[in-house]
Amino acid sequence: MQTALMLCLGICHQVALPSAAAAEAILFILGAALLTRAKNKIPGARLNRLFNIRGELSIYEKITAGIMTSAALIITWTMLTHPITDHDSLAYHLPAMAEWTRNGYFVRLPLKIIGYYPFNWEALCTLFLFPFKGSDIMVAVPNLAAWGLFGLSGYSLGRELNVQRHYLMAISSLVAITPIVLQNVLSMHVDLPLAAFFMAGLYFIAVFSRTRSGAYILLIFGSIAMVSLDTIKIPMLE
């Protein structure tokens, strides 16, 4: 939804804080109205069922959960206190975002190949430049959400395949803190969100094959749409 919002702002030549704030306010009002009409007004009440998070944790599982919580806090602190130094991020990911905010719309970069690079995830991250007057201190926040979705989807997929929970928690935690994954959390690469939504799609497919619930069809198509947004270029308008 947020990516689609930024794409619409770019197409309308309105990549700026006032337009983004107005659009976010409209989305908030619409979302609040939908929640008041829903029977279950607290989305978190269904999150445990959506991702198969149930039951009391054992002492070892609590230790694993504590380690991952600490890892998330460390990653967040690192993200807020250290600038992005990855070569690709500095070469064309962040420069593209800077050009969009400076010109107010999607402009094509001068390099032929990079000018057509799929910048949809960067469009989403651009939203986090506005509150800080162009500072990139929070620009990687969507990566943190993708990191959480990646680990949670992998865990849930294993639960759906009847793998024991304590094994899954250990495996998904180890995968989430491997160097290649952490490197992508602290850069503007699209590899992590691509992996996260791909893993989520696999989980929703597994649940749909068991339940045949129409709701999971929408979640599957939503995951496919997000994978497409991560890998298909945005319209470059000049």
Side-chain angles (χ1 to χ4, degrees), residues 3-223:
T3 304
L5 182 148
M6 274 302 298
L7 293 178
C8 292
L9 291 178
I11 292 173
C12 298
H13 288 212
Q14 294 296 323
V15 180
L17 177 58
S19 301
E24 292 289 356
I26 294 174
L27 286 180
F28 177 80
I29 294 172
L30 292 176
L34 290 174
L35 284 177
T36 57
R37 294 176 61 87
K39 294 181 180 180
N40 191 343
K41 298 182 181 180
I42 305 177
R46 293 184 177 180
L47 184 63
N48 62 336
R49 288 180 291 178
L50 177 63
F51 284 100
N52 201 3
I53 306 173
R54 306 177 192 178
E56 190 69 23
L57 297 178
S58 67
I59 181 63
Y60 299 106
E61 292 169 340
K62 289 180 180 178
I63 292 174
T64 304
I67 293 173
M68 289 309 298
T69 301
S70 300
L73 292 175
I74 293 172
I75 292 171
T76 303
W77 175 257
T78 304
M79 181 184 67
L80 295 177
T81 57
H82 292 74
I84 295 175
T85 58
D86 172 75
H87 174 271
D88 290 351
S89 300
L90 297 177
Y92 52 90
H93 292 278
L94 290 173
M97 299 161 65
E99 287 296 313
W100 297 342
T101 55
R102 184 171 67 87
N103 291 277
Y105 64 98
F106 297 135
V107 297
R108 185 180 297 130
L109 297 183
L111 297 180
K112 292 183 179 180
I113 297 178
I114 296 178
Y116 289 94
Y117 186 84
F119 285 109
N120 295 288
W121 188 254
E122 289 83 349
L124 170 62
C125 294
T126 302
L127 279 173
F128 293 83
L129 291 177
F130 294 143
F132 303 95
K133 297 182 179 179
S135 172
D136 62 356
I137 185 173
M138 296 287 287
V139 73
V141 166
N143 288 348
L144 193 61
W147 178 73
L149 179 62
F150 177 67
L152 186 59
S153 298
Y155 165 85
S156 301
L157 179 60
R159 289 287 287 167
E160 188 63 27
L161 299 177
N162 296 320
V163 180
Q164 294 186 31
R165 187 173 64 183
H166 57 280
Y167 292 133
L168 278 174
M169 290 188 67
I171 293 172
S172 60
S173 298
L174 287 174
V175 172
I177 60 176
T178 53
I180 186 62
V181 173
L182 295 180
Q183 178 184 355
N184 280 274
V185 176
L186 302 174
S187 73
M188 286 292 99
H189 292 123
V190 300
D191 305 71
L192 180 59
L194 176 63
F197 289 110
F198 179 79
M199 188 67 72
L202 288 180
Y203 167 64
F204 295 141
I205 290 173
V207 176
F208 173 74
S209 65
R210 175 177 57 85
T211 63
R212 301 298 177 182
S213 172
Y216 284 96
I217 295 179
L218 296 177
L219 292 172
I220 292 170
F221 279 107
S223 299

Side-chain angles (χ1 to χ4, degrees), residues 108 115-120 228-236:
R108 185 180 297 130
Y116 289 94
Y117 186 84
F119 285 109
N120 295 288
S228 300
L229 284 174
D230 288 339
T231 55
I232 298 176
K233 73 180 182 69
I234 62 174
M236 298 293 183

